Amino acid sequence: MKHLFAFFLLVLAAALPATASDTPLKDPVQEAAARELMKEIRCLVCQNQSIEDSNADLAKDLRDIVREQVALGATPDQVRAYLVDRYGDWVLLKPPVNRLTWFLWGSPFLVLGGVLIAVVSSRKKAAVSEPLTSEEQARLDELLRAAPESDQIKGSEKQ
Amino acid sequence: MTGFKRFIPLLIVLLLGAVFFKSMTDGHNPKEIKSVRIDKPAPVFSLRLLADEKIQATDAILKTGKPVLVNFFASWCAPCRAEHESLMTLAFDKGIPIIGIAYKDDPIKSQRFLDSLGNPFAQVVVDRAGRAGIDWGVTGVPETFLVDGDGIVRYRHWGPIVGDAAIGRVMAAVEDLE
């Protein structure tokens, strides 16, 4: 029984990938910086996970690269640039603002602007009216003078 | 509502339908990531030859003045087996030199893989750690790049080259260079 258990342990150990080390950096500050970066980097195999969350082999390799570069003193921007150089902007979970993505980032403001323009222009239309011509004014005065009478008519109609 | 205005919602629906139908049927794989290597020089590398561990090959082997295919493969990768026949066709029937890069693979197993299926590669180099793969922006094997005579990457085929249509696309990219 003991032997069998040892055998299973061996099998398990063999199944673990040997190439990727995934050991944390010795300097806790650097390790924390590397971890922060890993949260921003997309795993290119599973695609909707960061490399920090992913178990894919490629994600492990990319974690190693991030740690390696941070240990060498690369700034977060330099590490990002290294990866973008190879995999494109897509490797960043948060797309950067650039020539290709301005519409993506700008669209909420464009929609908001459009709505504002629509609201303002419809209000203007309602508020502004042509002044009455003298003829219209005369007719209005006449109607107002006749108003009490018409009320009486309405009243009689009701009955 | 005027006569035309009332048809606008219908037009929008039809237009969206056409867009969705097109993106469903054009054979585009949404998981495919666009290569940023296209029209840029091939990454610098120095890797040992599969045939001889004492010999390092560099990216200079890509600059032969003629188009070269670079194929990332591994013995552990099933789609690589599926595409192997196509690589043989490209190498021997179409006469395109192919450089093989054995990605994260035990060289002994890579050799066994080629011994049993045939070797379509002009040269095979060993990328044991997978770093060359990352430099090329490879997300998984197989992946194939077309490099022109000056060492500039011109085309990338994502996933296995299987079937005449896929071979045709690679050949069209080669012919575009000439």
Side-chain angles (χ1 to χ4, degrees):
Chain A
M1 198 59 195
K2 245 186 189 172
H3 286 291
L4 200 66
F5 184 66
F7 172 75
F8 277 123
L9 274 184
L10 269 177
V11 168
L12 269 177
L16 291 171
T19 43
S21 53
D22 232 356
T23 37
L25 295 170
K26 278 182 192 131
D27 181 349
V29 178
Q30 284 188 336
E31 174 64 15
R35 283 289 172 108
E36 276 311 303
L37 267 166
M38 287 172 201
K39 286 180 194 159
E40 294 175 24
I41 308 296
R42 187 191 299 273
C43 166
L44 296 137
V45 181
C46 16
Q47 301 204 349
N48 286 324
Q49 278 184 308
S50 73
I51 57 168
E52 208 217 7
D53 293 330
S54 171
N55 254 326
D57 221 27
L58 184 64
K60 284 207 178 83
D61 291 349
L62 293 176
R63 280 200 293 270
D64 282 350
I65 283 179
V66 169
R67 286 204 173 95
E68 220 175 85
Q69 302 238 333
V70 169
L72 287 171
T75 64
D77 278 341
Q78 284 169 332
V79 177
R80 278 185 216 114
Y82 177 94
L83 292 165
V84 168
D85 202 32
R86 284 156 179 76
Y87 290 105
D89 286 339
W90 212 72
V91 77
L92 306 173
L93 281 168
K94 182 179 163 190
V97 183
N98 62 27
R99 196 163 45 83
L100 292 170
T101 57
W102 71 264
F103 185 74
L104 175 72
W105 285 100
S107 52
F109 301 103
L110 286 177
V111 170
L112 203 66
V115 168
L116 269 178
I117 289 169
V119 167
V120 167
S121 70
S122 73
R123 283 203 166 186
K124 258 188 197 158
K125 230 180 255 167
V128 176
S129 55
E130 298 272 310
L132 296 176
T133 61
S134 55
E135 258 172 67
E136 283 168 341
Q137 189 62 51
R139 172 99 180 105
L140 179 64
D141 291 342
E142 193 184 318
L143 282 171
L144 285 173
R145 240 177 286 125
E149 284 169 40
S150 67
D151 270 355
Q152 277 176 2
I153 294 167
K154 256 187 195 168
S156 63
E157 269 175 358
K158 251 184 196 170
Q159 278 169 354
Chain B
M1 263 204 208
T2 59
F4 174 70
K5 256 190 181 167
R6 76 161 80 163
F7 288 109
I8 288 179
L10 181 67
L11 278 177
I12 291 172
V13 168
L14 287 178
L15 201 74
L16 281 177
V19 168
F20 294 153
F21 185 76
K22 192 186 168 291
S23 34
M24 268 167 63
T25 51
D26 66 356
H28 169 79
N29 183 340
K31 290 203 99 179
E32 178 175 340
I33 298 157
K34 243 182 158 181
S35 175
V36 288
R37 278 284 160 222
I38 307 298
D39 294 331
K40 285 187 193 154
V44 174
F45 63 82
S46 176
L47 298 166
R48 60 157 280 206
L49 287 183
L50 180 66
D52 188 341
E53 62 177 309
K54 290 184 207 85
I55 301 175
Q56 293 281 316
T58 67
D59 43 298
I61 59 172
L62 303 176
K63 291 166 199 153
T64 53
K66 280 197 293 181
V68 174
L69 287 173
V70 176
N71 176 253
F72 282 83
F73 76 102
S75 66
W76 47 261
C77 139
C80 300
R81 262 165 221 279
E83 102 173 328
H84 202 81
E85 207 187 306
S86 305
L87 295 181
M88 297 295 268
T89 306
L90 285 166
F92 298 116
D93 296 348
K94 315 280 185 189
I96 303 166
I98 310 177
I99 306 292
I101 300 185
Y103 177 77
K104 302 191 96 175
D105 197 13
D106 179 349
I108 296 166
K109 288 181 183 160
S110 313
Q111 191 57 57
R112 216 179 288 150
F113 175 81
L114 296 177
D115 287 346
S116 70
L117 292 173
N119 185 355
F121 302 119
Q123 302 266 24
V124 182
V125 295
V126 179
D127 180 25
R128 192 78 200 259
R131 286 300 170 94
I134 288 173
D135 285 342
W136 285 74
V138 168
T139 56
V141 276
E143 223 167 282
T144 308
F145 296 84
L146 173 65
V147 179
D148 71 8
D150 302 320
I152 312 290
V153 179
R154 293 300 183 189
Y155 178 76
R156 193 265 320 246
H157 185 97
W158 190 83
I161 304 170
V162 177
D164 291 340
I167 294 178
R169 282 201 295 278
V170 174
M171 284 311 296
V174 173
E175 276 150 22
D176 271 355
L177 295 181
E178 285 155 2

